[in-house]
Amino acid sequence: MMPARNNITTAANNRVQTTVICISLRFFIAPPKSTGYAIDYSTEIHLSLKRHIVKFQHYSSCCARFVIKLKYYFTRIDTLLVDSIERDFPVSSTYFNRELSLLEFNRRVLQQASNPDLPIMERLRFLCIFSTNLDEFFEVRVGGLIEMQDRVSPLNLYLMG
Amino acid sequence: MTPQESLSEISRRAHALVEEQYAILNQEILPLLSNECIRVLTRESWTQPQINYLKEIFHQDILPVLSPIGLDPAHPFPRILNKSLNFIVKLDGKDAFGRNSGRAIVQVPRSLPHLIELPEEFAADGRAFVFISSIINYFMTEIFIGMTVLERYQFRLTRNSDIFLDEEETEDLLRAVQGELIHRQYGDEVRLEITHHCPSDLEEFLQARCDINRDAIYRIPGSVNLNRFSDLFDLIKDQKYYFKPFTQNMPKMLKRNKSYFDALQKQDILLHHPFDSFQAVVDFFTRGRH
């Protein structure tokens, strides 16, 4: 059975969610006929997908975890599917990491502070903005990551390698 | 990336960024401000008349709102307020109750401004500013009467303030949010900033008490929390140091025509906010009402 290739939408914002929905649709439109037990797992996969799509809105950085988990479910159905997921969603290179990308934004704020063309007090103001931005980054994003790290179940840990 | 991988990469990049931030401050901004005769004086550069003046301020306005906390093994480590600036103080001698605790924490009060300006007669030339924290630091011995203050260092703790809600598993969202908001003040420690010259024994002490990873510690070469400089924006009003104020544009067609409706009859008018004034829209509605 050859799975149909996904068309990954390029609209950056909706990218993650669109592709996730793509997978679930693909699976239900063309279930792998070569395997006898597709129906047995479909409910389970469907539920899992549904849950994860909701979770995505909470933290998109768990994307890697999701794809790995997805692979795990599909392993039980068809290895060909796993290959195609791997091809369509290279875990590390496809998406910007949400936290690191925010840090890069703050790097640009800091660059404004070192811009000699700006008035001096405005440069100082950019240093202040960088400080408060970083405070919030640590309070919310880093805090969230630490929480995620603590919440990871042994199964997830195993799946993440 | 797993959370673990993200965290270590964040730590690596954030350390580099903070280092860059203080390099910009110390090597570019502060010298430039000094050229403009705007100085934030450090304790080492205070003159005797300045010290006398600041001492009076310390006793009148600062000391009454300070509440130092002595640390001893019998009591739990105090819950440091999120993002507050504190001093860890190393003491020698016995306090009024004959206790020899050795360490104390002094929180810089949040009710006071971060910076104060010295009156003209105390500033050599131009304008001179002093951090409240510098004053507390300088007169630390006056807080611990009868004891010797050996060392004191600034530190600042950042706590997790993220709100975690599982919408699927939460039945009563209001109650869940209420619970999370209370918890928010007492989140886990995520970052510890300390003055760069803090010795390792005090660093380890704080690290252990705050239960924080080594790579979440940031050694700061300068004032901890640069946002404290933001008081300067209110104190220094001179326009030449700031961006030119922006005046919004009023479209020519609307200025020329007394009636907006006449103007609109002639041609369509496109407003580009916020560069074009919002006043045009407000006028449009108030005139339409009449």
Side-chain angles (χ1 to χ4, degrees), chain B residues 6 15 31 102 111 128 159 174 205 215 230 244 267 285:
Chain B
S6 301
H15 273 93
S111 51
R159 296 183 175 281
L174 178 68
F205 172 77
D215 59 3
S230 60
K244 284 199 189 76
Q267 66 174 88
F285 281 114

Side-chain angles (χ1 to χ4, degrees), chain A residues 122-123 135 139 147 149, chain B residues 4 28 82 156 160 191:
Chain A
E122 299 294 347
R123 292 177 64 184
D135 283 353
E139 282 182 292
E147 223 160 280
Q149 189 185 17
Chain B
Q4 183 60 58
E28 295 179 38
N82 185 19
R156 185 169 178 258
N160 179 0
R191 176 181 60 166

Side-chain angles (χ1 to χ4, degrees), chain A residues 50-52 54-55 57-59 61-62 64-65 91-92 97 99-101 103-104 106-107 110-116 118-132 134-152 160, chain B residues 1-4 6-7 9-11 13-14 16-18 20-22 24-25 28-30 32-33 36 38 82-83 156 158-169 180 184 188-191 193 218 225-230 232-233 236 238 240-244:
Chain A
K50 226 176 108 191
R51 254 217 331 270
H52 276 92
V54 175
K55 287 268 194 289
Q57 291 155 0
H58 290 288
Y59 21 72
S61 67
C62 73
R65 221 166 93 192
V91 168
S92 52
N97 178 291
E99 280 73 26
L100 294 183
S101 134
L103 264 187
E104 289 309 304
N106 281 318
R107 184 192 300 281
L110 199 56
Q111 271 166 5
Q112 289 297 311
S114 59
N115 180 355
L118 299 184
I120 177 69
M121 290 301 276
E122 299 294 347
R123 292 177 64 184
L124 182 65
R125 201 194 294 274
F126 277 115
L127 280 186
C128 294
I129 295 173
F130 175 82
S131 263
T132 47
L134 211 61
D135 283 353
E136 191 184 308
F137 175 76
F138 273 94
E139 282 182 292
V140 178
R141 296 296 178 84
V142 175
L145 270 181
I146 292 175
E147 223 160 280
M148 252 171 76
Q149 189 185 17
D150 295 343
R151 273 170 211 269
V152 172
M160 281 191 288
Chain B
M1 270 179 142
T2 62
Q4 183 60 58
S6 301
L7 282 172
E9 183 63 19
I10 286 168
S11 166
R13 292 195 197 184
L17 283 176
V18 169
E20 198 183 324
Q21 182 194 22
Y22 280 86
I24 294 172
L25 177 79
E28 295 179 38
I29 309 285
L30 289 183
L32 275 172
L33 282 175
E36 298 288 337
I38 298 170
N82 185 19
K83 291 194 289 181
R156 185 169 178 258
T158 313
R159 296 183 175 281
N160 179 0
S161 310
D162 194 17
I163 292 184
F164 186 87
L165 285 176
D166 195 335
E167 278 159 35
E168 276 175 278
E169 282 159 36
E180 278 289 321
R184 199 163 181 247
D188 291 337
E189 297 83 351
V190 292
R191 176 181 60 166
E193 294 162 286
Y218 291 76
N225 184 13
L226 283 196
N227 192 41
R228 289 190 288 144
F229 276 101
S230 60
L232 278 184
F233 305 131
I236 297 173
D238 202 333
K240 69 178 171 185
Y241 302 130
Y242 295 97
F243 284 135
K244 284 199 189 76

Side-chain angles (χ1 to χ4, degrees), chain B residues 117-231:
Chain B
E117 181 167 11
L118 288 178
E120 236 172 85
E121 63 258 40
F122 294 110
D125 58 332
R127 306 179 66 173
F129 301 90
V130 172
F131 275 118
I132 288 287
S133 61
S134 305
I135 305 176
I136 296 175
N137 195 337
Y138 190 88
F139 297 106
M140 195 69 85
T141 43
E142 318 237 344
I143 305 173
F144 300 98
I145 295 163
M147 302 173 90
T148 321
V149 175
L150 299 175
E151 300 163 73
R152 64 272 200 203
Y153 304 97
Q154 283 181 8
F155 75 96
R156 185 169 178 258
L157 199 61
T158 313
R159 296 183 175 281
N160 179 0
S161 310
D162 194 17
I163 292 184
F164 186 87
L165 285 176
D166 195 335
E167 278 159 35
E168 276 175 278
E169 282 159 36
T170 311
E171 287 195 355
D172 187 345
L173 200 60
L174 178 68
R175 220 149 93 215
V177 171
Q178 278 173 342
E180 278 289 321
L181 283 181
I182 295 165
H183 184 73
R184 199 163 181 247
Q185 298 292 326
Y186 304 101
D188 291 337
E189 297 83 351
V190 292
R191 176 181 60 166
L192 176 66
E193 294 162 286
I194 46 175
T195 321
H196 68 298
H197 57 267
C198 180
S200 53
D201 65 318
L202 276 180
E203 180 191 322
E204 276 159 26
F205 172 77
L206 283 175
Q207 185 195 349
R209 292 303 184 284
C210 300
D211 186 25
I212 206 158
N213 270 335
R214 185 153 276 278
D215 59 3
I217 297 177
Y218 291 76
R219 286 182 161 265
I220 306 295
S223 321
V224 174
N225 184 13
L226 283 196
N227 192 41
R228 289 190 288 144
F229 276 101
S230 60
D231 281 10

